[in-house]
mmCIF file of all heavy atoms in Angstrom:
data_model
loop_
_atom_site.group_PDB
_atom_site.id
_atom_site.type_symbol
_atom_site.label_atom_id
_atom_site.label_comp_id
_atom_site.label_asym_id
_atom_site.label_seq_id
_atom_site.Cartn_x
_atom_site.Cartn_y
_atom_site.Cartn_z
ATOM 1 N N ALA Q 397 158.841 -221.110 10.562
ATOM 2 C CA ALA Q 397 159.890 -220.640 9.658
ATOM 3 C C ALA Q 397 159.303 -219.681 8.650
ATOM 4 O O ALA Q 397 158.136 -219.726 8.338
ATOM 5 C CB ALA Q 397 160.569 -221.802 8.933
ATOM 6 N N VAL Q 398 160.171 -218.840 8.119
ATOM 7 C CA VAL Q 398 159.801 -217.873 7.106
ATOM 8 C C VAL Q 398 160.778 -218.017 5.958
ATOM 9 O O VAL Q 398 161.989 -217.992 6.149
ATOM 10 C CB VAL Q 398 159.848 -216.422 7.652
ATOM 11 C CG1 VAL Q 398 159.498 -215.442 6.559
ATOM 12 C CG2 VAL Q 398 158.882 -216.284 8.804
ATOM 13 N N THR Q 399 160.246 -218.202 4.734
ATOM 14 C CA THR Q 399 161.095 -218.342 3.562
ATOM 15 C C THR Q 399 161.733 -217.003 3.244
ATOM 16 O O THR Q 399 161.054 -215.986 3.252
ATOM 17 C CB THR Q 399 160.260 -218.817 2.369
ATOM 18 O OG1 THR Q 399 159.588 -220.024 2.745
ATOM 19 C CG2 THR Q 399 161.137 -219.034 1.145
ATOM 20 N N PRO Q 400 163.028 -216.961 2.971
ATOM 21 C CA PRO Q 400 163.652 -215.673 2.692
ATOM 22 C C PRO Q 400 163.077 -215.046 1.438
ATOM 23 O O PRO Q 400 162.729 -215.729 0.482
ATOM 24 C CB PRO Q 400 165.140 -216.018 2.518
ATOM 25 C CG PRO Q 400 165.157 -217.470 2.189
ATOM 26 C CD PRO Q 400 163.999 -218.078 2.891
ATOM 27 N N SER Q 401 162.987 -213.713 1.447
ATOM 28 C CA SER Q 401 162.477 -212.965 0.304
ATOM 29 C C SER Q 401 163.528 -212.916 -0.790
ATOM 30 O O SER Q 401 164.698 -213.206 -0.567
ATOM 31 C CB SER Q 401 162.103 -211.556 0.735
ATOM 32 O OG SER Q 401 163.230 -210.903 1.229
ATOM 33 N N PRO Q 402 163.133 -212.565 -2.035
ATOM 34 C CA PRO Q 402 164.103 -212.508 -3.134
ATOM 35 C C PRO Q 402 165.217 -211.533 -2.836
ATOM 36 O O PRO Q 402 165.074 -210.610 -2.074
ATOM 37 C CB PRO Q 402 163.248 -212.042 -4.324
ATOM 38 C CG PRO Q 402 161.839 -212.337 -3.954
ATOM 39 C CD PRO Q 402 161.777 -212.239 -2.465
ATOM 40 N N SER Q 403 166.354 -211.794 -3.479
ATOM 41 C CA SER Q 403 167.490 -210.901 -3.302
ATOM 42 C C SER Q 403 167.237 -209.589 -4.015
ATOM 43 O O SER Q 403 166.262 -209.430 -4.751
ATOM 44 C CB SER Q 403 168.764 -211.561 -3.847
ATOM 45 O OG SER Q 403 168.614 -211.758 -5.239
ATOM 46 N N PHE Q 404 168.136 -208.655 -3.793
ATOM 47 C CA PHE Q 404 167.971 -207.329 -4.387
ATOM 48 C C PHE Q 404 168.026 -207.404 -5.913
ATOM 49 O O PHE Q 404 167.238 -206.776 -6.612
ATOM 50 C CB PHE Q 404 169.071 -206.403 -3.852
ATOM 51 C CG PHE Q 404 168.876 -204.969 -4.210
ATOM 52 C CD1 PHE Q 404 167.890 -204.218 -3.593
ATOM 53 C CD2 PHE Q 404 169.673 -204.360 -5.151
ATOM 54 C CE1 PHE Q 404 167.702 -202.894 -3.920
ATOM 55 C CE2 PHE Q 404 169.497 -203.038 -5.483
ATOM 56 C CZ PHE Q 404 168.501 -202.296 -4.859
ATOM 57 N N GLN Q 405 168.939 -208.253 -6.458
ATOM 58 C CA GLN Q 405 169.026 -208.349 -7.905
ATOM 59 C C GLN Q 405 167.791 -209.053 -8.463
ATOM 60 O O GLN Q 405 167.260 -208.658 -9.508
ATOM 61 C CB GLN Q 405 170.290 -209.113 -8.311
ATOM 62 C CG GLN Q 405 171.582 -208.363 -8.024
ATOM 63 C CD GLN Q 405 171.993 -208.420 -6.567
ATOM 64 O OE1 GLN Q 405 171.363 -209.122 -5.795
ATOM 65 N NE2 GLN Q 405 173.023 -207.680 -6.196
ATOM 66 N N GLN Q 406 167.288 -210.107 -7.780
ATOM 67 C CA GLN Q 406 166.104 -210.790 -8.253
ATOM 68 C C GLN Q 406 164.892 -209.876 -8.224
ATOM 69 O O GLN Q 406 164.022 -209.948 -9.083
ATOM 70 C CB GLN Q 406 165.842 -212.031 -7.397
ATOM 71 C CG GLN Q 406 166.903 -213.117 -7.574
ATOM 72 C CD GLN Q 406 166.685 -214.242 -6.595
ATOM 73 O OE1 GLN Q 406 165.898 -214.125 -5.669
ATOM 74 N NE2 GLN Q 406 167.369 -215.350 -6.811
ATOM 75 N N ARG Q 407 164.841 -209.025 -7.210
ATOM 76 C CA ARG Q 407 163.720 -208.087 -7.135
ATOM 77 C C ARG Q 407 163.762 -207.098 -8.294
ATOM 78 O O ARG Q 407 162.751 -206.727 -8.864
ATOM 79 C CB ARG Q 407 163.735 -207.342 -5.793
ATOM 80 C CG ARG Q 407 162.620 -206.356 -5.640
ATOM 81 C CD ARG Q 407 162.446 -205.925 -4.204
ATOM 82 N NE ARG Q 407 162.045 -207.053 -3.373
ATOM 83 C CZ ARG Q 407 161.884 -206.976 -2.065
ATOM 84 N NH1 ARG Q 407 162.074 -205.842 -1.446
ATOM 85 N NH2 ARG Q 407 161.524 -208.028 -1.376
#
Side-chain angles (χ1 to χ4, degrees):
V398 178
T399 305
S401 60
S403 63
F404 190 73
Q405 291 78 6
Q406 292 174 349
R407 180 165 296 177

